[in-house]
């Protein structure tokens, strides 16, 4: 009874509601993964786990994803010399790339005052929705340099607009 109450508490007080059946499938998949790892002395594939449970691969992947804890967009992924790389920096913004919402704002003059390199970074990041890593690859510099130049450009623009 105590174990049941603990499970109910953990299930009901999670930050994201996941159905009991999906959660059960995930726990069965984790258990099967451990069993198969011990048996075969190697990490099993999703297909092997699905086969051992007689479930489709998609159900296993969905269940395992559902029980993952949510991560903040501002969670540091990598830090080198003080400049952290956050989850949000790794996400492309397809909606704003399509709408080109920044073009409609009165930031054009502030952008035009930037040096060409910073102007290019601002365009790639905010008009095309590219990540810092994508920008770094495109202009052949490190992600840390993109981060520094982006911060500098935004500070310059903010100072001009104030």
């Amino acid at each position: 009874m105590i174990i049941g109450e603990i499970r109910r508490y953990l299930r009901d007080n999670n930050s994201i509601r996941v159905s009991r059946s999906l959660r059960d499938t995930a726990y069965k998949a984790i258990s099967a993964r451990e069993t198969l790892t011990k048996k075969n002395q190697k990490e099993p594939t999703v297909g092997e786990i699905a086969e051992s449970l007689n479930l489709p691969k998609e159900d296993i992947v969905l269940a395992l994803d559902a029980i993952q804890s949510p991560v903040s967009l501002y969670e540091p992924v990598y830090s080198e010399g003080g400049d952290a790389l956050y989850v949000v920096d790794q996400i492309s913004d397809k909606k704003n790339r399509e709408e080109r919402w920044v073009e409609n704002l009165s930031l054009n003059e502030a952008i035009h005052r930037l040096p060409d390199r910073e102007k290019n970074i601002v365009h790639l990041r905010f008009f095309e929705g590219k990540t810092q890593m994508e920008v770094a690859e495109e202009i052949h510099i490190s992600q840390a340099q993109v981060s520094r130049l982006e911060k500098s450009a935004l500070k310059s623009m903010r100072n001009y607009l104030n």
Side-chain angles (χ1 to χ4, degrees):
M1 195 162 133
I2 293 171
I3 290 173
E5 285 298 313
I6 291 171
R7 285 184 179 156
R8 183 184 60 75
Y9 175 83
L10 293 173
R11 181 183 66 244
D12 294 345
N13 292 308
N14 212 350
S15 54
I16 296 177
R17 297 270 188 238
V18 177
S19 73
R20 179 178 274 180
S21 63
L22 197 57
R23 197 174 287 281
D24 288 345
T25 301
Y27 294 140
K28 287 176 187 174
I30 291 169
S31 177
R33 180 175 54 201
E34 290 172 3
T35 303
L36 289 169
T37 300
K38 288 177 186 174
K39 179 182 173 187
N40 300 329
Q41 298 297 311
K42 68 177 183 78
E43 187 75 21
T45 65
V46 174
E48 292 170 339
I49 294 170
E51 187 178 313
S52 74
L53 295 174
N54 293 324
L55 293 170
K57 286 187 231 180
E58 295 79 15
D59 289 357
I60 301 298
V61 172
L62 180 67
L64 291 174
D65 282 346
I67 65 166
Q68 296 296 318
S69 297
V71 177
S72 168
L73 290 175
Y74 296 98
E75 180 82 22
V77 176
Y78 178 77
S79 182
E80 179 184 305
D83 280 344
L85 176 63
Y86 299 99
V87 172
V88 73
D89 296 327
Q90 299 300 301
I91 300 171
S92 292
D93 188 355
K94 291 178 177 54
K95 178 183 174 194
N96 289 327
R97 180 180 359 176
E98 292 167 4
E99 292 177 5
R100 298 194 175 272
W101 61 275
V102 177
E103 288 180 340
N104 297 329
L105 299 175
S106 63
L107 298 176
N108 285 334
E109 184 61 32
I111 292 171
H112 289 296
R113 292 175 169 265
L114 295 174
D116 287 341
R117 191 178 208 184
E118 290 180 7
K119 194 183 306 181
N120 187 28
I121 289 172
V122 167
H123 177 77
L124 293 171
R125 286 279 290 140
F126 299 104
F127 286 82
E128 295 186 19
K130 294 188 177 186
T131 66
Q132 287 183 350
M133 291 299 289
E134 291 170 335
V135 172
E137 288 176 23
E138 187 169 321
I139 62 175
H140 308 293
I141 61 175
S142 71
Q143 176 276 321
Q145 287 175 300
V146 170
S147 178
R148 282 189 211 100
L149 289 168
E150 179 184 318
K151 285 178 187 174
S152 171
L154 294 176
K155 183 178 179 184
S156 297
M157 291 169 58
R158 197 174 295 117
N159 288 339
Y160 173 76
L161 292 171
N162 288 334

